[in-house]
Amino acid sequence: MAIIDCVEWQPQSNDIFAWRYPEQNLTTATQLIVRESQEAVFFSKGQILGKFGPGKHTLSTENLPILHNLFGIPFGKKNPFTAEVWFVNKAAPLTIDWKTTSVRIMDADYGQMLPIVAKGRYGVKIRDAEKFLVKLVGTLNTFNSAQLTDHFMGPLVAKTNSAIVTYMTANHVGVMQIAAYLDQLSTFISDPLKQFWDEYGLELTGFYVTSVDLDTSTPDGKKIADAMSDRSAQNIAGYTWQQKQSFGTVNNAVQNSRGGIGMIGAAMMMGGGLNGNPGMGSAMMSPTGNGNFAQQSGSSPINQKSTVFCSRCGKSFPSSNRFCPHCGDPYNPCPVCGRDNDENAKRCAVCGASLQGQNTVNNMMNGNACSRCGTNVPAGTKFCPNCGNRM
């Protein structure tokens, strides 16, 4: 069995907290080399033989007096003994990242329960090598920052989540403003954590919260984030949520409805109207005495032209006329752009909008359509041939 003459550790990275020398066969003449920011601790038969700081040491019963009690080694002779040598890195790495799980909080700005997640970075260093080795290392051969993070994930996340919720609730800070309080939040969390790390022989050298954000990985968090984005866009553009819904209703009616009747229905469903004017939705587009669509207040309807051109003779006339004063052709306005169209046209020749509903309304206004089912009937008919309704 080979006897080790020199024991040392040359770490390849700074994220290793403790490393066990692979051999245990030592003598009282073995050289021990401990570098700066390191400390060596000897264990044998479950007891600590001693510990050494930076420098070059020759093992002997003088600096390891417990050897005589454990092995009966006489003073001044080169005698073998077995022991575990642990090297501890006492530097302060600040590269350990942490991230909490999703936690719900009553947001001070929105007054709703929001899911949030936080992340940051912390650093610890070994203050008491003996306590650290006894409580954490055990039978491992090495102990790095990843193992430390995994070992403390549960208590660290629990304490951090609790501290964040407590701070934001007590100070009435919402998710939208928390970025301005990250320094204070970091201090608030780090103070109670110092005592926690001290129990394991570790010293918390720094604790930083880099962000607290809405957790968009959850379905409700994604919906809330989209709603916040819409609200920001509305504030910038200068329109309300109700107005946005109204815009969508009118747009769908123009694209999908079958003519002017659909436009009227869309307008009636708009509730508060386009400009927040109560009742405007129901009064925006109603047929007037001249066969056109106009507001009950007397103002022009959407896209209504003040002057139009006759679809038959091409001459202009006021849109308030029911017939062209030049050729007598009935004014058949498009419900979208207000242009005159042939009375039998199914779509507007200018914008392509459906005219079937418009023609039905015009026929009803002229007495040529049934008021119950809308069927076109010849002039002078007393009863509708489709439903029997009295004309």
Side-chain angles (χ1 to χ4, degrees), residues 189-212:
I189 298 175
S190 65
D191 287 342
L193 285 179
K194 290 179 179 178
Q195 183 178 358
F196 169 77
W197 291 112
D198 183 69
E199 297 178 2
Y200 296 90
L202 295 167
E203 178 183 349
L204 184 66
T205 58
F207 185 91
Y208 307 99
V209 180
T210 57
S211 67
V212 178

Side-chain angles (χ1 to χ4, degrees), residues 156-201:
L156 180 63
V157 169
K159 291 180 179 295
T160 303
N161 278 346
S162 178
I164 291 175
V165 172
T166 300
Y167 179 86
M168 295 180 66
T169 302
N171 293 278
H172 304 287
V173 178
V175 175
M176 302 300 293
Q177 287 79 35
I178 191 60
Y181 298 86
L182 292 182
D183 284 343
Q184 299 178 25
L185 180 60
S186 299
T187 302
F188 181 80
I189 298 175
S190 65
D191 287 342
L193 285 179
K194 290 179 179 178
Q195 183 178 358
F196 169 77
W197 291 112
D198 183 69
E199 297 178 2
Y200 296 90

Side-chain angles (χ1 to χ4, degrees), residues 119-272:
K119 62 181 179 179
R121 176 170 294 185
Y122 70 93
V124 293
K125 71 176 182 179
I126 299 176
R127 181 185 56 80
D128 189 330
E130 298 178 22
K131 184 185 293 187
F132 172 77
L133 292 173
V134 170
K135 288 201 171 187
L136 292 181
V137 176
T139 59
L140 299 176
N141 293 324
T142 185
F143 198 86
N144 55 31
S145 59
Q147 291 170 306
L148 184 73
T149 302
D150 182 68
H151 185 83
F152 288 108
M153 178 61 68
L156 180 63
V157 169
K159 291 180 179 295
T160 303
N161 278 346
S162 178
I164 291 175
V165 172
T166 300
Y167 179 86
M168 295 180 66
T169 302
N171 293 278
H172 304 287
V173 178
V175 175
M176 302 300 293
Q177 287 79 35
I178 191 60
Y181 298 86
L182 292 182
D183 284 343
Q184 299 178 25
L185 180 60
S186 299
T187 302
F188 181 80
I189 298 175
S190 65
D191 287 342
L193 285 179
K194 290 179 179 178
Q195 183 178 358
F196 169 77
W197 291 112
D198 183 69
E199 297 178 2
Y200 296 90
L202 295 167
E203 178 183 349
L204 184 66
T205 58
F207 185 91
Y208 307 99
V209 180
T210 57
S211 67
V212 178
D213 300 306
L214 186 69
D215 185 10
T216 57
S217 64
T218 61
D220 53 344
K222 182 65 168 59
K223 292 179 180 179
I224 294 172
D226 292 341
M228 289 181 176
S229 178
D230 286 345
R231 179 176 178 178
S232 298
Q234 293 165 14
N235 290 338
I236 294 174
Y239 61 87
T240 65
W241 182 88
Q242 290 83 357
Q243 290 173 337
K244 178 182 177 181
Q245 303 308 307
S246 300
F247 300 153
T249 301
V250 173
N251 185 57
N252 291 336
V254 171
Q255 295 182 5
N256 302 324
S257 67
R258 299 185 60 184
I261 297 297
M263 278 293 293
I264 296 174
M268 294 177 67
M269 290 187 295
M270 285 171 55

Side-chain angles (χ1 to χ4, degrees), residues 45-93:
K45 298 182 179 181
Q47 298 186 45
I48 296 179
L49 300 181
K51 56 184 180 180
F52 298 86
K56 185 175 181 180
H57 310 275
T58 300
L59 303 182
S60 67
T61 54
E62 292 182 357
N63 50 31
L64 295 172
I66 197 173
L67 284 176
H68 182 73
N69 297 330
L70 292 177
F71 298 98
I73 297 176
F75 177 79
K77 291 185 179 181
K78 183 179 180 180
N79 291 289
F81 66 95
T82 59
E84 291 184 356
V85 182
W86 277 92
F87 286 91
V88 175
N89 180 8
K90 304 196 76 171

